[in-house]
Amino acid sequence: MSLQSQIDALCHVTNELLNLGFDGTPLYSNRFCELNTEVYRQSEALFLSHGSTAEEEARLCYALLTGFHATIYDHGDKNQKIQSILNRSWNVLEQLSVSLLKCQLLVACYGEVYDEKLAQEAHAIIDTWNELSPAELEVSEYLNSLETNPWTAWELDE
């Protein structure tokens, strides 16, 4: 299985976990646990991988940040792994041109560290978009939800 197909699989299962129940279907605990387990398993399996290009590395970092952020599981080293992925992201962000991918990675990083500069750069990219595609709308809405969610300030104060 290629790295890109593994990244796509992780993004797919993470998206399924994050949107579980939002379509009006019942939310069952066994499905929630299954998805959490699968997201964590796939994130762990990809953690030591690296992309062969800046774009592939950015897609990998985005998938890993989103996956680790989405899952409830932690075997004691999740925060260290997230920090490692953030460090990789800082390196690759400088190499990316203005794009949806760069915006997605900026927002995923912002969701971990709440550095206002990341949000400003993401907004600058979003402001260049005319009619938003579904992926552009999703990243824009996610950034807005991160910025307006009141629990973020509480979590940072701890």
Side-chain angles (χ1 to χ4, degrees), residues 6 9-15 17-18 31-48 63-82 85:
Q6 291 175 323
L10 175 56
C11 288
H12 176 77
V13 72
T14 300
N15 189 52
L17 173 60
L18 291 172
R31 183 65 182 147
F32 177 74
C33 289
E34 288 171 7
L35 287 171
N36 264 283
T37 300
E38 187 59 19
V39 168
Y40 193 77
R41 186 195 66 74
Q42 288 187 27
S43 297
E44 286 286 315
L46 281 172
F47 177 72
L48 294 176
L64 288 170
L65 285 172
T66 305
F68 279 123
H69 186 82
T71 186
I72 60 173
Y73 296 121
D74 180 357
H75 294 167
D77 60 352
K78 186 171 161 180
N79 287 335
Q80 292 87 352
K81 288 183 177 176
I82 289 171
I85 301 162

mmCIF file of all heavy atoms in Angstrom, residues 6 9-15 17-18 31-48 63-82 85:
data_model
loop_
_atom_site.group_PDB
_atom_site.id
_atom_site.type_symbol
_atom_site.label_atom_id
_atom_site.label_comp_id
_atom_site.label_asym_id
_atom_site.label_seq_id
_atom_site.Cartn_x
_atom_site.Cartn_y
_atom_site.Cartn_z
ATOM 1 N N GLN A 6 -2.314 5.224 2.284
ATOM 2 C CA GLN A 6 -2.421 5.134 3.746
ATOM 3 C C GLN A 6 -2.881 6.476 4.329
ATOM 4 O O GLN A 6 -3.692 6.503 5.264
ATOM 5 C CB GLN A 6 -1.079 4.731 4.350
ATOM 6 C CG GLN A 6 -0.683 3.309 4.045
ATOM 7 C CD GLN A 6 0.712 2.980 4.551
ATOM 8 O OE1 GLN A 6 1.618 3.810 4.513
ATOM 9 N NE2 GLN A 6 0.883 1.765 5.032
ATOM 10 N N ALA A 9 -6.544 6.781 3.593
ATOM 11 C CA ALA A 9 -7.326 5.905 4.475
ATOM 12 C C ALA A 9 -7.467 6.525 5.860
ATOM 13 O O ALA A 9 -8.559 6.503 6.450
ATOM 14 C CB ALA A 9 -6.673 4.526 4.567
ATOM 15 N N LEU A 10 -6.385 7.085 6.387
ATOM 16 C CA LEU A 10 -6.448 7.741 7.699
ATOM 17 C C LEU A 10 -7.382 8.947 7.654
ATOM 18 O O LEU A 10 -8.201 9.134 8.558
ATOM 19 C CB LEU A 10 -5.051 8.156 8.171
ATOM 20 C CG LEU A 10 -4.992 8.955 9.481
ATOM 21 C CD1 LEU A 10 -5.666 8.207 10.631
ATOM 22 C CD2 LEU A 10 -3.540 9.287 9.827
ATOM 23 N N CYS A 11 -7.279 9.760 6.622
ATOM 24 C CA CYS A 11 -8.170 10.918 6.500
ATOM 25 C C CYS A 11 -9.630 10.485 6.419
ATOM 26 O O CYS A 11 -10.509 11.102 7.039
ATOM 27 C CB CYS A 11 -7.797 11.755 5.279
ATOM 28 S SG CYS A 11 -6.256 12.684 5.477
ATOM 29 N N HIS A 12 -9.892 9.409 5.691
ATOM 30 C CA HIS A 12 -11.263 8.923 5.543
ATOM 31 C C HIS A 12 -11.845 8.465 6.884
ATOM 32 O O HIS A 12 -12.945 8.865 7.264
ATOM 33 C CB HIS A 12 -11.311 7.781 4.523
ATOM 34 C CG HIS A 12 -12.661 7.173 4.389
ATOM 35 N ND1 HIS A 12 -13.686 7.775 3.686
ATOM 36 C CD2 HIS A 12 -13.176 6.020 4.893
ATOM 37 C CE1 HIS A 12 -14.764 7.026 3.765
ATOM 38 N NE2 HIS A 12 -14.481 5.948 4.489
ATOM 39 N N VAL A 13 -11.111 7.634 7.608
ATOM 40 C CA VAL A 13 -11.629 7.111 8.871
ATOM 41 C C VAL A 13 -11.699 8.215 9.932
ATOM 42 O O VAL A 13 -12.621 8.238 10.761
ATOM 43 C CB VAL A 13 -10.836 5.873 9.354
ATOM 44 C CG1 VAL A 13 -9.458 6.225 9.857
ATOM 45 C CG2 VAL A 13 -11.612 5.098 10.408
ATOM 46 N N THR A 14 -10.766 9.160 9.896
ATOM 47 C CA THR A 14 -10.824 10.296 10.824
ATOM 48 C C THR A 14 -12.048 11.150 10.539
ATOM 49 O O THR A 14 -12.762 11.557 11.464
ATOM 50 C CB THR A 14 -9.545 11.150 10.723
ATOM 51 O OG1 THR A 14 -8.419 10.332 11.055
ATOM 52 C CG2 THR A 14 -9.599 12.340 11.664
ATOM 53 N N ASN A 15 -12.306 11.415 9.271
ATOM 54 C CA ASN A 15 -13.488 12.188 8.889
ATOM 55 C C ASN A 15 -14.765 11.474 9.330
ATOM 56 O O ASN A 15 -15.700 12.107 9.833
ATOM 57 C CB ASN A 15 -13.487 12.428 7.380
ATOM 58 C CG ASN A 15 -14.556 13.400 6.970
ATOM 59 O OD1 ASN A 15 -14.662 14.488 7.511
ATOM 60 N ND2 ASN A 15 -15.345 13.017 5.988
ATOM 61 N N LEU A 17 -15.050 9.432 11.881
ATOM 62 C CA LEU A 17 -15.127 9.567 13.334
ATOM 63 C C LEU A 17 -15.615 10.963 13.723
ATOM 64 O O LEU A 17 -16.499 11.107 14.565
ATOM 65 C CB LEU A 17 -13.755 9.296 13.967
ATOM 66 C CG LEU A 17 -13.630 9.554 15.467
ATOM 67 C CD1 LEU A 17 -14.590 8.689 16.272
ATOM 68 C CD2 LEU A 17 -12.186 9.326 15.919
ATOM 69 N N LEU A 18 -15.043 11.991 13.113
ATOM 70 C CA LEU A 18 -15.393 13.363 13.476
ATOM 71 C C LEU A 18 -16.828 13.730 13.110
ATOM 72 O O LEU A 18 -17.397 14.643 13.707
ATOM 73 C CB LEU A 18 -14.418 14.341 12.826
ATOM 74 C CG LEU A 18 -12.996 14.315 13.370
ATOM 75 C CD1 LEU A 18 -12.076 15.179 12.519
ATOM 76 C CD2 LEU A 18 -12.965 14.756 14.826
ATOM 77 N N ARG A 31 -19.566 1.513 17.611
ATOM 78 C CA ARG A 31 -19.021 2.101 16.382
ATOM 79 C C ARG A 31 -18.056 3.228 16.729
ATOM 80 O O ARG A 31 -17.003 3.374 16.104
ATOM 81 C CB ARG A 31 -20.153 2.606 15.477
ATOM 82 C CG ARG A 31 -19.654 3.164 14.156
ATOM 83 C CD ARG A 31 -19.004 2.069 13.324
ATOM 84 N NE ARG A 31 -18.493 2.630 12.088
ATOM 85 C CZ ARG A 31 -17.406 2.206 11.464
ATOM 86 N NH1 ARG A 31 -16.724 1.189 11.947
ATOM 87 N NH2 ARG A 31 -17.004 2.768 10.367
ATOM 88 N N PHE A 32 -18.399 4.030 17.731
ATOM 89 C CA PHE A 32 -17.526 5.110 18.184
ATOM 90 C C PHE A 32 -16.183 4.535 18.644
ATOM 91 O O PHE A 32 -15.123 5.034 18.271
ATOM 92 C CB PHE A 32 -18.208 5.880 19.321
ATOM 93 C CG PHE A 32 -17.366 6.977 19.908
ATOM 94 C CD1 PHE A 32 -17.153 8.162 19.227
ATOM 95 C CD2 PHE A 32 -16.788 6.824 21.163
ATOM 96 C CE1 PHE A 32 -16.380 9.183 19.774
ATOM 97 C CE2 PHE A 32 -16.013 7.830 21.723
ATOM 98 C CZ PHE A 32 -15.815 9.010 21.025
ATOM 99 N N CYS A 33 -16.215 3.485 19.416
ATOM 100 C CA CYS A 33 -14.980 2.846 19.891
ATOM 101 C C CYS A 33 -14.188 2.232 18.745
ATOM 102 O O CYS A 33 -12.958 2.344 18.707
ATOM 103 C CB CYS A 33 -15.293 1.787 20.947
ATOM 104 S SG CYS A 33 -15.847 2.489 22.509
ATOM 105 N N GLU A 34 -14.876 1.583 17.810
ATOM 106 C CA GLU A 34 -14.206 0.994 16.646
ATOM 107 C C GLU A 34 -13.458 2.061 15.843
ATOM 108 O O GLU A 34 -12.306 1.860 15.451
ATOM 109 C CB GLU A 34 -15.218 0.304 15.723
ATOM 110 C CG GLU A 34 -15.790 -0.977 16.244
ATOM 111 C CD GLU A 34 -16.951 -1.481 15.383
ATOM 112 O OE1 GLU A 34 -17.238 -0.902 14.309
ATOM 113 O OE2 GLU A 34 -17.592 -2.462 15.806
ATOM 114 N N LEU A 35 -14.141 3.167 15.585
ATOM 115 C CA LEU A 35 -13.516 4.239 14.802
ATOM 116 C C LEU A 35 -12.342 4.854 15.553
ATOM 117 O O LEU A 35 -11.300 5.136 14.956
ATOM 118 C CB LEU A 35 -14.546 5.311 14.432
ATOM 119 C CG LEU A 35 -15.549 4.912 13.358
ATOM 120 C CD1 LEU A 35 -16.641 5.961 13.232
ATOM 121 C CD2 LEU A 35 -14.862 4.672 12.023
ATOM 122 N N ASN A 36 -12.489 5.081 16.849
ATOM 123 C CA ASN A 36 -11.388 5.611 17.645
ATOM 124 C C ASN A 36 -10.187 4.686 17.596
ATOM 125 O O ASN A 36 -9.050 5.130 17.431
ATOM 126 C CB ASN A 36 -11.830 5.830 19.097
ATOM 127 C CG ASN A 36 -12.255 7.235 19.348
ATOM 128 O OD1 ASN A 36 -11.419 8.120 19.481
ATOM 129 N ND2 ASN A 36 -13.554 7.454 19.385
ATOM 130 N N THR A 37 -10.436 3.398 17.743
ATOM 131 C CA THR A 37 -9.357 2.410 17.701
ATOM 132 C C THR A 37 -8.670 2.430 16.344
ATOM 133 O O THR A 37 -7.434 2.410 16.266
ATOM 134 C CB THR A 37 -9.900 1.005 18.011
ATOM 135 O OG1 THR A 37 -10.474 1.019 19.324
ATOM 136 C CG2 THR A 37 -8.817 -0.047 17.940
ATOM 137 N N GLU A 38 -9.451 2.475 15.281
ATOM 138 C CA GLU A 38 -8.883 2.450 13.932
ATOM 139 C C GLU A 38 -8.099 3.726 13.625
ATOM 140 O O GLU A 38 -7.016 3.673 13.040
ATOM 141 C CB GLU A 38 -9.980 2.226 12.890
ATOM 142 C CG GLU A 38 -9.466 2.020 11.494
ATOM 143 C CD GLU A 38 -8.519 0.829 11.339
ATOM 144 O OE1 GLU A 38 -8.497 -0.084 12.191
ATOM 145 O OE2 GLU A 38 -7.773 0.823 10.340
ATOM 146 N N VAL A 39 -8.606 4.872 14.026
ATOM 147 C CA VAL A 39 -7.882 6.133 13.812
ATOM 148 C C VAL A 39 -6.560 6.097 14.567
ATOM 149 O O VAL A 39 -5.505 6.452 14.023
ATOM 150 C CB VAL A 39 -8.731 7.357 14.237
ATOM 151 C CG1 VAL A 39 -7.886 8.619 14.298
ATOM 152 C CG2 VAL A 39 -9.898 7.551 13.278
ATOM 153 N N TYR A 40 -6.600 5.652 15.805
ATOM 154 C CA TYR A 40 -5.370 5.595 16.600
ATOM 155 C C TYR A 40 -4.381 4.597 16.003
ATOM 156 O O TYR A 40 -3.193 4.886 15.886
ATOM 157 C CB TYR A 40 -5.696 5.233 18.054
ATOM 158 C CG TYR A 40 -4.520 5.455 18.976
ATOM 159 C CD1 TYR A 40 -4.172 6.737 19.383
ATOM 160 C CD2 TYR A 40 -3.751 4.392 19.432
ATOM 161 C CE1 TYR A 40 -3.083 6.951 20.218
ATOM 162 C CE2 TYR A 40 -2.666 4.598 20.266
ATOM 163 C CZ TYR A 40 -2.345 5.879 20.660
ATOM 164 O OH TYR A 40 -1.264 6.098 21.481
ATOM 165 N N ARG A 41 -4.872 3.429 15.581
ATOM 166 C CA ARG A 41 -4.007 2.402 14.993
ATOM 167 C C ARG A 41 -3.337 2.919 13.720
ATOM 168 O O ARG A 41 -2.127 2.783 13.546
ATOM 169 C CB ARG A 41 -4.816 1.144 14.686
ATOM 170 C CG ARG A 41 -3.960 -0.027 14.203
ATOM 171 C CD ARG A 41 -4.787 -1.132 13.571
ATOM 172 N NE ARG A 41 -5.433 -0.729 12.331
ATOM 173 C CZ ARG A 41 -4.794 -0.565 11.162
ATOM 174 N NH1 ARG A 41 -3.500 -0.751 11.075
ATOM 175 N NH2 ARG A 41 -5.460 -0.213 10.081
ATOM 176 N N GLN A 42 -4.122 3.539 12.855
ATOM 177 C CA GLN A 42 -3.554 4.047 11.606
ATOM 178 C C GLN A 42 -2.591 5.209 11.859
ATOM 179 O O GLN A 42 -1.552 5.317 11.195
ATOM 180 C CB GLN A 42 -4.657 4.482 10.642
ATOM 181 C CG GLN A 42 -5.414 3.327 10.037
ATOM 182 C CD GLN A 42 -6.389 3.770 8.972
ATOM 183 O OE1 GLN A 42 -6.206 4.789 8.317
ATOM 184 N NE2 GLN A 42 -7.448 2.991 8.788
ATOM 185 N N SER A 43 -2.913 6.073 12.809
ATOM 186 C CA SER A 43 -2.018 7.188 13.152
ATOM 187 C C SER A 43 -0.689 6.659 13.673
ATOM 188 O O SER A 43 0.378 7.133 13.281
ATOM 189 C CB SER A 43 -2.672 8.108 14.192
ATOM 190 O OG SER A 43 -3.832 8.707 13.670
ATOM 191 N N GLU A 44 -0.758 5.681 14.552
ATOM 192 C CA GLU A 44 0.455 5.065 15.094
ATOM 193 C C GLU A 44 1.284 4.416 13.981
ATOM 194 O O GLU A 44 2.504 4.533 13.954
ATOM 195 C CB GLU A 44 0.103 4.025 16.161
ATOM 196 C CG GLU A 44 -0.356 4.618 17.469
ATOM 197 C CD GLU A 44 0.780 5.233 18.266
ATOM 198 O OE1 GLU A 44 1.852 4.613 18.381
ATOM 199 O OE2 GLU A 44 0.591 6.349 18.756
ATOM 200 N N ALA A 45 0.613 3.731 13.058
ATOM 201 C CA ALA A 45 1.308 3.036 11.976
ATOM 202 C C ALA A 45 2.016 4.017 11.038
ATOM 203 O O ALA A 45 3.072 3.707 10.489
ATOM 204 C CB ALA A 45 0.319 2.172 11.189
ATOM 205 N N LEU A 46 1.463 5.203 10.861
ATOM 206 C CA LEU A 46 2.047 6.196 9.949
ATOM 207 C C LEU A 46 3.013 7.155 10.626
ATOM 208 O O LEU A 46 3.720 7.897 9.944
ATOM 209 C CB LEU A 46 0.934 7.014 9.284
ATOM 210 C CG LEU A 46 0.216 6.365 8.126
ATOM 211 C CD1 LEU A 46 -0.982 7.204 7.696
ATOM 212 C CD2 LEU A 46 1.171 6.156 6.971
ATOM 213 N N PHE A 47 3.064 7.148 11.940
ATOM 214 C CA PHE A 47 3.836 8.153 12.666
ATOM 215 C C PHE A 47 5.296 8.235 12.237
ATOM 216 O O PHE A 47 5.847 9.324 12.103
ATOM 217 C CB PHE A 47 3.741 7.925 14.179
ATOM 218 C CG PHE A 47 4.580 8.876 14.961
ATOM 219 C CD1 PHE A 47 4.213 10.211 15.064
ATOM 220 C CD2 PHE A 47 5.755 8.473 15.573
ATOM 221 C CE1 PHE A 47 4.995 11.116 15.766
ATOM 222 C CE2 PHE A 47 6.541 9.362 16.279
ATOM 223 C CZ PHE A 47 6.159 10.687 16.376
ATOM 224 N N LEU A 48 5.947 7.136 12.004
ATOM 225 C CA LEU A 48 7.370 7.147 11.646
ATOM 226 C C LEU A 48 7.614 7.349 10.145
ATOM 227 O O LEU A 48 8.756 7.458 9.721
ATOM 228 C CB LEU A 48 8.051 5.862 12.117
ATOM 229 C CG LEU A 48 8.124 5.691 13.634
ATOM 230 C CD1 LEU A 48 8.727 4.338 13.992
ATOM 231 C CD2 LEU A 48 8.895 6.821 14.277
ATOM 232 N N ALA A 63 -2.770 14.722 8.143
ATOM 233 C CA ALA A 63 -3.520 13.513 8.491
ATOM 234 C C ALA A 63 -3.200 13.057 9.916
ATOM 235 O O ALA A 63 -4.098 12.674 10.667
ATOM 236 C CB ALA A 63 -3.217 12.398 7.492
ATOM 237 N N LEU A 64 -1.922 13.105 10.292
ATOM 238 C CA LEU A 64 -1.525 12.677 11.633
ATOM 239 C C LEU A 64 -2.048 13.619 12.710
ATOM 240 O O LEU A 64 -2.557 13.167 13.747
ATOM 241 C CB LEU A 64 -0.004 12.555 11.718
ATOM 242 C CG LEU A 64 0.599 11.372 10.979
ATOM 243 C CD1 LEU A 64 2.130 11.497 10.922
ATOM 244 C CD2 LEU A 64 0.192 10.053 11.622
ATOM 245 N N LEU A 65 -1.921 14.927 12.499
ATOM 246 C CA LEU A 65 -2.441 15.882 13.487
ATOM 247 C C LEU A 65 -3.943 15.714 13.660
ATOM 248 O O LEU A 65 -4.458 15.691 14.784
ATOM 249 C CB LEU A 65 -2.111 17.317 13.082
ATOM 250 C CG LEU A 65 -0.677 17.762 13.281
ATOM 251 C CD1 LEU A 65 -0.445 19.142 12.666
ATOM 252 C CD2 LEU A 65 -0.294 17.771 14.754
ATOM 253 N N THR A 66 -4.646 15.583 12.552
ATOM 254 C CA THR A 66 -6.094 15.426 12.606
ATOM 255 C C THR A 66 -6.466 14.105 13.271
ATOM 256 O O THR A 66 -7.376 14.051 14.101
ATOM 257 C CB THR A 66 -6.680 15.505 11.183
ATOM 258 O OG1 THR A 66 -6.252 16.727 10.576
ATOM 259 C CG2 THR A 66 -8.185 15.488 11.207
ATOM 260 N N GLY A 67 -5.736 13.045 12.931
ATOM 261 C CA GLY A 67 -6.021 11.741 13.518
ATOM 262 C C GLY A 67 -5.782 11.701 15.016
ATOM 263 O O GLY A 67 -6.643 11.269 15.785
ATOM 264 N N PHE A 68 -4.608 12.162 15.446
ATOM 265 C CA PHE A 68 -4.323 12.149 16.878
ATOM 266 C C PHE A 68 -5.261 13.095 17.635
ATOM 267 O O PHE A 68 -5.647 12.807 18.772
ATOM 268 C CB PHE A 68 -2.860 12.526 17.155
ATOM 269 C CG PHE A 68 -1.897 11.380 16.974
ATOM 270 C CD1 PHE A 68 -0.832 11.490 16.095
ATOM 271 C CD2 PHE A 68 -2.033 10.197 17.681
ATOM 272 C CE1 PHE A 68 0.071 10.438 15.926
ATOM 273 C CE2 PHE A 68 -1.142 9.136 17.519
ATOM 274 C CZ PHE A 68 -0.088 9.260 16.631
ATOM 275 N N HIS A 69 -5.648 14.207 17.017
ATOM 276 C CA HIS A 69 -6.555 15.159 17.656
ATOM 277 C C HIS A 69 -7.954 14.542 17.827
ATOM 278 O O HIS A 69 -8.622 14.796 18.824
ATOM 279 C CB HIS A 69 -6.636 16.450 16.829
ATOM 280 C CG HIS A 69 -7.426 17.529 17.460
ATOM 281 N ND1 HIS A 69 -6.900 18.368 18.419
ATOM 282 C CD2 HIS A 69 -8.706 17.927 17.284
ATOM 283 C CE1 HIS A 69 -7.820 19.224 18.802
ATOM 284 N NE2 HIS A 69 -8.923 18.978 18.127
ATOM 285 N N ALA A 70 -8.363 13.721 16.859
ATOM 286 C CA ALA A 70 -9.720 13.174 16.857
ATOM 287 C C ALA A 70 -9.919 12.028 17.834
ATOM 288 O O ALA A 70 -11.005 11.847 18.375
ATOM 289 C CB ALA A 70 -10.082 12.707 15.449
ATOM 290 N N THR A 71 -8.894 11.245 18.067
ATOM 291 C CA THR A 71 -9.071 10.035 18.858
ATOM 292 C C THR A 71 -8.989 10.317 20.357
ATOM 293 O O THR A 71 -8.287 11.224 20.795
ATOM 294 C CB THR A 71 -8.043 8.951 18.459
ATOM 295 O OG1 THR A 71 -8.355 7.745 19.154
ATOM 296 C CG2 THR A 71 -6.629 9.362 18.771
ATOM 297 N N ILE A 72 -9.706 9.506 21.100
ATOM 298 C CA ILE A 72 -9.691 9.638 22.558
ATOM 299 C C ILE A 72 -8.551 8.845 23.180
ATOM 300 O O ILE A 72 -8.278 8.985 24.367
ATOM 301 C CB ILE A 72 -11.034 9.180 23.180
ATOM 302 C CG1 ILE A 72 -11.324 7.718 22.846
ATOM 303 C CG2 ILE A 72 -12.157 10.098 22.738
ATOM 304 C CD1 ILE A 72 -12.533 7.126 23.558
ATOM 305 N N TYR A 73 -7.890 8.017 22.392
ATOM 306 C CA TYR A 73 -6.880 7.125 22.944
ATOM 307 C C TYR A 73 -5.512 7.792 23.062
ATOM 308 O O TYR A 73 -5.154 8.654 22.276
ATOM 309 C CB TYR A 73 -6.762 5.849 22.108
ATOM 310 C CG TYR A 73 -8.038 5.050 22.137
ATOM 311 C CD1 TYR A 73 -8.729 4.762 20.974
ATOM 312 C CD2 TYR A 73 -8.562 4.593 23.343
ATOM 313 C CE1 TYR A 73 -9.909 4.039 21.007
ATOM 314 C CE2 TYR A 73 -9.740 3.873 23.379
ATOM 315 C CZ TYR A 73 -10.408 3.600 22.218
ATOM 316 O OH TYR A 73 -11.578 2.884 22.250
ATOM 317 N N ASP A 74 -4.778 7.351 24.071
ATOM 318 C CA ASP A 74 -3.426 7.841 24.319
ATOM 319 C C ASP A 74 -2.717 6.786 25.157
ATOM 320 O O ASP A 74 -3.154 6.462 26.248
ATOM 321 C CB ASP A 74 -3.478 9.172 25.079
ATOM 322 C CG ASP A 74 -2.109 9.757 25.384
ATOM 323 O OD1 ASP A 74 -1.078 9.123 25.063
ATOM 324 O OD2 ASP A 74 -2.063 10.857 25.952
ATOM 325 N N HIS A 75 -1.641 6.269 24.639
ATOM 326 C CA HIS A 75 -0.864 5.275 25.386
ATOM 327 C C HIS A 75 0.300 5.927 26.115
ATOM 328 O O HIS A 75 1.341 5.318 26.324
ATOM 329 C CB HIS A 75 -0.381 4.157 24.452
ATOM 330 C CG HIS A 75 -1.516 3.346 23.915
ATOM 331 N ND1 HIS A 75 -1.387 2.471 22.888
ATOM 332 C CD2 HIS A 75 -2.826 3.279 24.274
ATOM 333 C CE1 HIS A 75 -2.547 1.900 22.625
ATOM 334 N NE2 HIS A 75 -3.432 2.379 23.458
ATOM 335 N N GLY A 76 0.114 7.183 26.490
ATOM 336 C CA GLY A 76 1.105 7.890 27.305
ATOM 337 C C GLY A 76 2.092 8.742 26.533
ATOM 338 O O GLY A 76 2.826 9.510 27.145
ATOM 339 N N ASP A 77 2.101 8.645 25.208
ATOM 340 C CA ASP A 77 3.082 9.418 24.439
ATOM 341 C C ASP A 77 2.440 10.258 23.329
ATOM 342 O O ASP A 77 3.128 10.773 22.459
ATOM 343 C CB ASP A 77 4.135 8.484 23.833
ATOM 344 C CG ASP A 77 3.550 7.448 22.888
ATOM 345 O OD1 ASP A 77 2.297 7.327 22.803
ATOM 346 O OD2 ASP A 77 4.339 6.753 22.231
ATOM 347 N N LYS A 78 1.139 10.406 23.383
ATOM 348 C CA LYS A 78 0.422 11.132 22.333
ATOM 349 C C LYS A 78 0.876 12.588 22.232
ATOM 350 O O LYS A 78 1.108 13.089 21.121
ATOM 351 C CB LYS A 78 -1.084 11.049 22.601
ATOM 352 C CG LYS A 78 -1.951 11.640 21.532
ATOM 353 C CD LYS A 78 -3.400 11.277 21.854
ATOM 354 C CE LYS A 78 -4.403 12.131 21.177
ATOM 355 N NZ LYS A 78 -5.779 11.739 21.507
ATOM 356 N N ASN A 79 1.034 13.270 23.350
ATOM 357 C CA ASN A 79 1.467 14.669 23.315
ATOM 358 C C ASN A 79 2.864 14.825 22.720
ATOM 359 O O ASN A 79 3.130 15.772 21.975
ATOM 360 C CB ASN A 79 1.402 15.307 24.703
ATOM 361 C CG ASN A 79 -0.015 15.574 25.127
ATOM 362 O OD1 ASN A 79 -0.913 15.737 24.302
ATOM 363 N ND2 ASN A 79 -0.246 15.617 26.433
ATOM 364 N N GLN A 80 3.760 13.905 23.024
ATOM 365 C CA GLN A 80 5.109 13.951 22.448
ATOM 366 C C GLN A 80 5.052 13.723 20.932
ATOM 367 O O GLN A 80 5.790 14.359 20.179
ATOM 368 C CB GLN A 80 6.048 12.920 23.100
ATOM 369 C CG GLN A 80 6.383 13.210 24.537
ATOM 370 C CD GLN A 80 5.353 12.631 25.521
ATOM 371 O OE1 GLN A 80 4.293 12.130 25.154
ATOM 372 N NE2 GLN A 80 5.670 12.730 26.792
ATOM 373 N N LYS A 81 4.188 12.824 20.511
ATOM 374 C CA LYS A 81 4.046 12.559 19.078
ATOM 375 C C LYS A 81 3.450 13.771 18.370
ATOM 376 O O LYS A 81 3.912 14.149 17.289
ATOM 377 C CB LYS A 81 3.208 11.304 18.842
ATOM 378 C CG LYS A 81 3.981 10.054 19.205
ATOM 379 C CD LYS A 81 3.210 8.800 18.930
ATOM 380 C CE LYS A 81 4.132 7.616 19.255
ATOM 381 N NZ LYS A 81 3.464 6.346 19.110
ATOM 382 N N ILE A 82 2.460 14.382 18.970
ATOM 383 C CA ILE A 82 1.876 15.588 18.374
ATOM 384 C C ILE A 82 2.935 16.680 18.269
ATOM 385 O O ILE A 82 3.034 17.358 17.239
ATOM 386 C CB ILE A 82 0.645 16.053 19.182
ATOM 387 C CG1 ILE A 82 -0.509 15.070 18.968
ATOM 388 C CG2 ILE A 82 0.238 17.474 18.796
ATOM 389 C CD1 ILE A 82 -1.708 15.292 19.854
ATOM 390 N N ILE A 85 5.137 15.959 15.346
ATOM 391 C CA ILE A 85 4.453 16.270 14.083
ATOM 392 C C ILE A 85 4.393 17.780 13.873
ATOM 393 O O ILE A 85 4.568 18.269 12.747
ATOM 394 C CB ILE A 85 3.048 15.645 14.050
ATOM 395 C CG1 ILE A 85 3.134 14.132 14.201
ATOM 396 C CG2 ILE A 85 2.313 16.019 12.764
ATOM 397 C CD1 ILE A 85 1.832 13.474 14.599
#
